[in-house]
Amino acid sequence: MRLLCGLLFIALNSFAASPILFGARGGAALNDNAETLVSSAIGSSPSKTYVVGPTLGMRLPLGFSVEGDALYNHQSLNFGSIGGFSANAHSDSWEFPVMLKYTIGHGLIAPVIGGGMNFRHINDFGNIPSYLFSGSTDANSYGYTVGGGFQFHAGPVSITPEVRYTRWQSSNLVQQVIDSFVPGRNAVQVLIGATF
Protein backbone atom coordinates (compact mmCIF):
# COMPACT_ATOMS: atom_id res chain seq x y z
CA MET A 1 0.00 0.00 0.00
CA ARG A 2 2.86 2.41 0.78
CA LEU A 3 4.41 1.62 -2.58
CA LEU A 4 1.13 2.41 -4.37
CA CYS A 5 0.74 5.72 -2.49
CA GLY A 6 4.36 6.61 -3.25
CA LEU A 7 3.91 5.87 -6.97
CA LEU A 8 0.70 7.91 -7.07
CA PHE A 9 2.45 10.86 -5.40
CA ILE A 10 5.36 10.67 -7.89
CA ALA A 11 2.93 10.44 -10.82
CA LEU A 12 0.96 13.50 -9.62
CA ASN A 13 4.15 15.52 -9.09
CA SER A 14 5.37 14.57 -12.57
CA PHE A 15 2.03 15.56 -14.08
CA ALA A 16 2.07 18.83 -12.12
CA ALA A 17 5.30 19.73 -13.96
CA SER A 18 3.66 19.14 -17.35
CA PRO A 19 2.13 22.01 -19.34
CA ILE A 20 -1.40 20.53 -19.13
CA LEU A 21 -3.75 21.75 -16.37
CA PHE A 22 -6.86 19.87 -15.32
CA GLY A 23 -9.12 20.01 -12.29
CA ALA A 24 -12.38 21.48 -11.06
CA ARG A 25 -13.80 24.86 -10.09
CA GLY A 26 -16.85 25.84 -8.09
CA GLY A 27 -18.41 28.70 -6.21
CA ALA A 28 -21.39 31.02 -5.96
CA ALA A 29 -22.77 34.22 -7.43
CA LEU A 30 -22.22 37.39 -5.37
CA ASN A 31 -24.90 39.39 -7.13
CA ASP A 32 -28.20 37.58 -7.47
CA ASN A 33 -30.63 39.36 -9.78
CA ALA A 34 -33.46 37.38 -8.24
CA GLU A 35 -32.95 39.46 -5.08
CA THR A 36 -33.95 42.60 -7.01
CA LEU A 37 -37.11 40.96 -8.27
CA VAL A 38 -37.91 39.60 -4.82
CA SER A 39 -37.94 43.06 -3.30
CA SER A 40 -40.76 44.04 -5.67
CA ALA A 41 -42.60 40.70 -5.81
CA ILE A 42 -44.87 39.61 -3.00
CA GLY A 43 -44.04 36.34 -1.32
CA SER A 44 -41.22 35.23 -3.62
CA SER A 45 -37.96 33.73 -2.39
CA PRO A 46 -34.88 32.88 -4.49
CA SER A 47 -32.53 30.00 -3.88
CA LYS A 48 -28.82 30.74 -3.78
CA THR A 49 -27.09 30.08 -7.07
CA TYR A 50 -23.99 27.96 -7.39
CA VAL A 51 -21.60 27.10 -10.22
CA VAL A 52 -19.47 23.97 -10.50
CA GLY A 53 -17.59 22.18 -13.26
CA PRO A 54 -14.34 20.93 -14.76
CA THR A 55 -11.30 23.03 -15.72
CA LEU A 56 -8.81 22.36 -18.51
CA GLY A 57 -5.86 24.47 -19.53
CA MET A 58 -2.24 24.84 -20.56
CA ARG A 59 0.70 26.44 -18.81
CA LEU A 60 2.61 28.91 -20.97
CA PRO A 61 6.04 30.50 -20.42
CA LEU A 62 6.65 33.53 -18.17
CA GLY A 63 3.82 32.79 -15.70
CA PHE A 64 0.99 32.80 -18.26
CA SER A 65 -1.64 30.11 -18.73
CA VAL A 66 -4.80 29.60 -20.76
CA GLU A 67 -7.70 28.03 -18.89
CA GLY A 68 -11.21 27.04 -19.87
CA ASP A 69 -14.07 25.99 -17.63
CA ALA A 70 -17.45 24.34 -18.16
CA LEU A 71 -19.51 25.69 -15.25
CA TYR A 72 -23.00 24.40 -14.51
CA ASN A 73 -25.41 26.85 -12.86
CA HIS A 74 -28.83 26.07 -11.34
CA GLN A 75 -31.21 28.61 -9.84
CA SER A 76 -34.77 28.31 -8.55
CA LEU A 77 -37.33 30.92 -7.56
CA ASN A 78 -40.43 30.18 -5.48
CA PHE A 79 -43.26 32.71 -5.73
CA GLY A 80 -45.22 30.98 -2.98
CA SER A 81 -48.90 30.17 -3.27
CA ILE A 82 -50.99 32.18 -5.73
CA GLY A 83 -54.72 31.41 -5.69
CA GLY A 84 -54.11 28.05 -4.02
CA PHE A 85 -51.47 27.01 -6.57
CA SER A 86 -47.75 26.88 -5.88
CA ALA A 87 -45.77 28.98 -8.37
CA ASN A 88 -42.08 28.36 -8.96
CA ALA A 89 -39.60 28.26 -11.82
CA HIS A 90 -35.98 27.35 -12.41
CA SER A 91 -33.16 27.78 -14.88
CA ASP A 92 -30.26 25.49 -15.77
CA SER A 93 -27.35 26.95 -17.71
CA TRP A 94 -23.74 26.29 -18.70
CA GLU A 95 -21.01 28.92 -18.83
CA PHE A 96 -17.80 28.38 -20.81
CA PRO A 97 -15.23 31.03 -19.78
CA VAL A 98 -11.87 30.94 -21.58
CA MET A 99 -9.26 33.14 -19.91
CA LEU A 100 -5.62 34.11 -20.31
CA LYS A 101 -4.17 34.23 -16.80
CA TYR A 102 -0.95 35.62 -15.39
CA THR A 103 0.55 34.38 -12.10
CA ILE A 104 2.78 36.99 -10.48
CA GLY A 105 5.84 35.35 -8.95
CA HIS A 106 6.49 31.87 -7.62
CA GLY A 107 6.08 32.39 -3.87
CA LEU A 108 3.99 30.31 -1.48
CA ILE A 109 1.07 32.63 -2.26
CA ALA A 110 1.11 34.23 -5.70
CA PRO A 111 -1.41 36.77 -7.07
CA VAL A 112 -3.27 35.73 -10.25
CA ILE A 113 -5.06 38.03 -12.71
CA GLY A 114 -6.78 37.21 -15.97
CA GLY A 115 -9.29 38.06 -18.64
CA GLY A 116 -11.09 36.56 -21.58
CA MET A 117 -14.42 35.58 -23.11
CA ASN A 118 -17.39 33.80 -21.55
CA PHE A 119 -20.10 31.94 -23.44
CA ARG A 120 -23.43 30.90 -21.88
CA HIS A 121 -26.12 28.44 -22.93
CA ILE A 122 -29.44 28.15 -21.08
CA ASN A 123 -30.68 24.54 -21.05
CA ASP A 124 -34.04 24.79 -19.37
CA PHE A 125 -36.60 27.41 -18.43
CA GLY A 126 -38.62 24.95 -16.36
CA ASN A 127 -42.27 25.89 -16.27
CA ILE A 128 -41.92 29.54 -17.29
CA PRO A 129 -44.70 30.18 -19.85
CA SER A 130 -43.55 31.11 -23.35
CA TYR A 131 -45.70 34.28 -23.42
CA LEU A 132 -43.30 35.86 -20.92
CA PHE A 133 -40.61 35.96 -23.59
CA SER A 134 -40.14 39.16 -25.54
CA GLY A 135 -38.57 39.02 -28.99
CA SER A 136 -36.06 36.27 -29.58
CA THR A 137 -35.81 33.41 -27.13
CA ASP A 138 -32.25 32.52 -28.16
CA ALA A 139 -30.69 30.87 -25.13
CA ASN A 140 -27.06 31.67 -26.10
CA SER A 141 -25.11 34.74 -25.06
CA TYR A 142 -21.50 35.90 -24.64
CA GLY A 143 -19.58 38.30 -22.48
CA TYR A 144 -16.19 39.53 -21.35
CA THR A 145 -14.69 38.22 -18.11
CA VAL A 146 -11.95 39.57 -15.84
CA GLY A 147 -10.84 38.14 -12.54
CA GLY A 148 -8.24 38.05 -9.85
CA GLY A 149 -7.21 36.08 -6.82
CA PHE A 150 -4.25 34.19 -5.51
CA GLN A 151 -2.71 30.77 -5.91
CA PHE A 152 -1.05 28.45 -3.41
CA HIS A 153 0.07 24.83 -3.56
CA ALA A 154 -0.94 21.84 -1.47
CA GLY A 155 1.45 19.18 -2.73
CA PRO A 156 0.85 18.71 -6.46
CA VAL A 157 -2.49 20.59 -6.32
CA SER A 158 -2.75 24.32 -7.10
CA ILE A 159 -5.59 25.97 -5.17
CA THR A 160 -6.88 29.25 -6.64
CA PRO A 161 -9.58 31.30 -4.86
CA GLU A 162 -10.72 34.13 -7.12
CA VAL A 163 -13.41 36.69 -7.89
CA ARG A 164 -14.68 37.02 -11.47
CA TYR A 165 -16.69 39.79 -13.11
CA THR A 166 -18.53 39.14 -16.39
CA ARG A 167 -20.19 41.80 -18.53
CA TRP A 168 -22.69 39.98 -20.77
CA GLN A 169 -23.00 41.59 -24.20
CA SER A 170 -26.09 39.94 -25.59
CA SER A 171 -29.23 39.17 -23.68
CA ASN A 172 -32.24 38.16 -25.69
CA LEU A 173 -34.34 37.34 -22.66
CA VAL A 174 -35.39 40.80 -21.61
CA GLN A 175 -38.37 40.36 -19.32
CA GLN A 176 -37.77 40.91 -15.60
CA VAL A 177 -39.04 37.46 -14.71
CA ILE A 178 -36.59 35.79 -17.10
CA ASP A 179 -33.75 38.05 -16.01
CA SER A 180 -34.28 36.88 -12.45
CA PHE A 181 -33.22 33.37 -13.46
CA VAL A 182 -30.54 34.29 -15.99
CA PRO A 183 -27.73 36.50 -14.69
CA GLY A 184 -28.16 40.09 -15.84
CA ARG A 185 -25.60 42.01 -17.82
CA ASN A 186 -23.27 42.26 -14.81
CA ALA A 187 -22.34 39.06 -12.98
CA VAL A 188 -19.89 38.60 -10.10
CA GLN A 189 -18.83 35.15 -8.90
CA VAL A 190 -16.58 33.93 -6.09
CA LEU A 191 -14.85 30.72 -7.17
CA ILE A 192 -12.24 28.31 -5.93
CA GLY A 193 -10.31 26.07 -8.31
CA ALA A 194 -8.14 23.03 -7.76
CA THR A 195 -5.84 22.02 -10.63
CA PHE A 196 -3.04 19.52 -11.18
Side-chain angles (χ1 to χ4, degrees), residues 33-50:
N33 289 342
E35 297 288 349
T36 304
L37 181 65
V38 168
S39 64
S40 61
I42 298 172
S44 58
S45 62
S47 68
K48 294 300 179 189
T49 61
Y50 64 87

Side-chain angles (χ1 to χ4, degrees), residues 68-140:
D69 302 320
L71 300 174
Y72 171 77
N73 183 354
H74 177 81
Q75 182 176 2
S76 297
L77 187 63
N78 183 0
F79 291 98
S81 183
I82 301 173
F85 295 100
S86 177
N88 57 47
H90 67 275
S91 168
D92 293 326
S93 67
W94 283 92
E95 291 182 24
F96 301 97
V98 178
M99 299 177 67
L100 176 66
K101 292 186 172 182
Y102 177 63
T103 304
I104 303 167
H106 299 287
L108 292 176
I109 298 177
V112 177
I113 57 173
M117 295 287 296
N118 199 346
F119 304 92
R120 179 174 59 196
H121 174 74
I122 316 279
N123 290 335
D124 184 18
F125 295 107
N127 57 0
I128 300 172
S130 61
Y131 63 80
L132 292 176
F133 294 120
S134 175
S136 171
T137 58
D138 183 8
N140 298 314

